[in-house]
Amino acid sequence: MRILRHFTKVAAESKGAVVAIGNFDGIHRGHQEVIAKTRRLARELEAPSAVMTFEPHPRAYFAPDQPPFRLTPFRVKTRLIEALGVDILYVLRFDRSLANLEAEDFITRVLGQGLSARHVIVGDNFHFGRKRRGTPEMLETLARAQGIGVTVMKRVAGPGSEPYSSTLVREYLKTGNPTRAALLLGRYWEIEGRIQHGAKRGRDLGFPTANISLGQILRPAFGVYAVRATVDTGGETVWLPGVANIGISPMFSYDTPLLEVHLLDFNADLYGKHMRVALIDYLRPEISFPDLEALKERMVEDRERASAILAFESWEETWPTSPFITAPQDRE
């Protein structure tokens, strides 16, 4: 997959694509349907398939002081889009210049003159341009006048007829329901980062942990989770069972929330390595204990519960070849 961070002076082989446009935070099943439609149409038109997204997320640009909300940082989003078979990823820097670009100019300068887009695909709630003046109806009228095809897709309904929505995924994660979030995402939600040194309290208690900063991603419900984790060793991806705590650890009152992962039946030096952690199930909220012995007893119970939950998964049948639980199909 080619990644372009501009829309000017684009090489010929990166022009004339069928382009899906949106923020695509989460790459949930609704997003996957849009991208699958993009690939189908690209094949029919014998054109490259492309996704256009924006960094930083426009919401972060307009409200930089709000709590972290991202489901997929850029690195994760890129990996997921590439796994969906897209040829080109256009990443437009969302700054003052782009925020102040009139909707009409976005169509003419970016889609027309810059990318020579063959066709664009958007959701029916897509807005663009200065003060979000641009609507799907405007796009259909003005883009088609320039010879650019337009498809506006209705939001896809998920389980229980609720729409696939990044907002809904965030709510499920914040209320301790990663299983429901996974149904909307089409995969387990992950936290990833570099393993850092901690206070080594877990090791002293007999539960060594790999510690990862949450960075600028969404804060899920604080508490204990059954997880699967993989460490980047440069070789085959191997997912290991584990139990993790996310939060401030009330007994020790961390200054900032932390992800602490204890891998089951595993012991190796992981400091400095990159780890991906998938949240499988929520076991309990964070609580304070009267003493360290009571904490240790509960940690034993947490480990046993996590092991039992993970034993019933068909994990090895779903994740070795794709980051998605059910890979999206290129179907009509």
Side-chain angles (χ1 to χ4, degrees), residues 1-5 13-14 17-20 24 27 35 38-39 48-53 55 73-91 323-324:
M1 183 176 73
R2 300 190 296 275
I3 301 176
L4 280 72
R5 295 178 176 270
E13 63 269 20
S14 297
V18 178
V19 187
F24 296 106
I27 312 294
I35 293 172
T38 301
R39 293 185 65 236
S49 61
V51 167
M52 177 187 290
T53 190
E55 292 290 337
F74 178 64
R75 172 177 173 156
V76 179
K77 186 195 300 189
T78 300
R79 182 174 67 239
L80 293 171
I81 290 174
E82 184 172 25
L84 292 171
V86 172
D87 298 315
I88 307 168
L89 177 60
Y90 301 119
V91 185
F324 301 100

Side-chain angles (χ1 to χ4, degrees), residues 4-21:
L4 280 72
R5 295 178 176 270
H6 53 81
F7 62 87
T8 60
K9 299 181 180 179
V10 175
E13 63 269 20
S14 297
K15 289 187 173 185
V18 178
V19 187
I21 307 175

Side-chain angles (χ1 to χ4, degrees), residues 9-209:
K9 299 181 180 179
V10 175
E13 63 269 20
S14 297
K15 289 187 173 185
V18 178
V19 187
I21 307 175
N23 291 314
F24 296 106
D25 187 28
I27 312 294
H28 56 60
R29 280 176 161 154
H31 295 147
Q32 293 168 40
E33 290 290 344
V34 172
I35 293 172
K37 173 70 174 179
T38 301
R39 293 185 65 236
R40 289 196 301 272
L41 184 55
R43 284 199 301 270
E44 293 173 9
L45 298 177
E46 298 183 343
S49 61
V51 167
M52 177 187 290
T53 190
F54 309 93
E55 292 290 337
H57 193 294
R59 179 171 159 184
Y61 172 82
F62 288 113
D65 296 329
Q66 67 177 324
F69 67 92
R70 290 286 296 265
L71 294 169
T72 44
F74 178 64
R75 172 177 173 156
V76 179
K77 186 195 300 189
T78 300
R79 182 174 67 239
L80 293 171
I81 290 174
E82 184 172 25
L84 292 171
V86 172
D87 298 315
I88 307 168
L89 177 60
Y90 301 119
V91 185
L92 300 193
R93 178 173 178 77
F94 199 89
D95 53 15
R96 179 179 296 182
S97 176
L98 191 60
N100 288 331
L101 190 67
E102 295 293 346
E104 295 86 350
D105 292 332
F106 177 82
I107 296 171
T108 300
R109 291 174 52 191
V110 178
L111 300 180
Q113 298 170 1
L115 304 181
S116 300
R118 182 80 175 272
H119 197 102
V120 295
I121 298 179
V122 299
D124 58 6
N125 60 343
F126 177 64
H127 287 78
F128 61 98
R130 184 171 176 267
K131 296 185 177 179
R132 293 169 53 86
R133 284 183 50 248
T135 63
E137 293 75 21
M138 177 190 290
L139 182 64
E140 287 182 300
T141 300
L142 298 184
R144 284 174 176 165
Q146 297 184 41
I148 302 172
V150 178
T151 295
V152 179
M153 292 185 64
K154 293 183 178 180
R155 297 176 74 184
V156 182
S161 298
E162 60 189 4
Y164 291 118
S165 158
S166 299
T167 299
L168 196 53
V169 172
R170 294 185 189 105
E171 288 304 311
Y172 282 137
L173 291 171
K174 288 191 292 185
T175 55
N177 199 336
T179 303
R180 194 72 183 179
L183 290 174
L184 297 184
L185 289 170
R187 70 181 193 285
Y188 293 109
W189 187 68
E190 296 179 24
I191 300 172
E192 64 176 61
R194 193 72 56 186
I195 298 171
Q196 60 192 37
H197 286 276
K200 297 182 173 58
R201 295 190 183 97
R203 177 176 296 177
D204 294 340
L205 292 168
F207 292 83
T209 59

Side-chain angles (χ1 to χ4, degrees), residues 220-225 244-248 258 282-287:
F222 287 175
V224 180
Y225 292 80
N245 187 81
I246 300 175
I248 59 172
L258 187 68
Y282 186 68
L283 303 183
R284 63 170 176 84
E286 280 196 309
I287 53 178

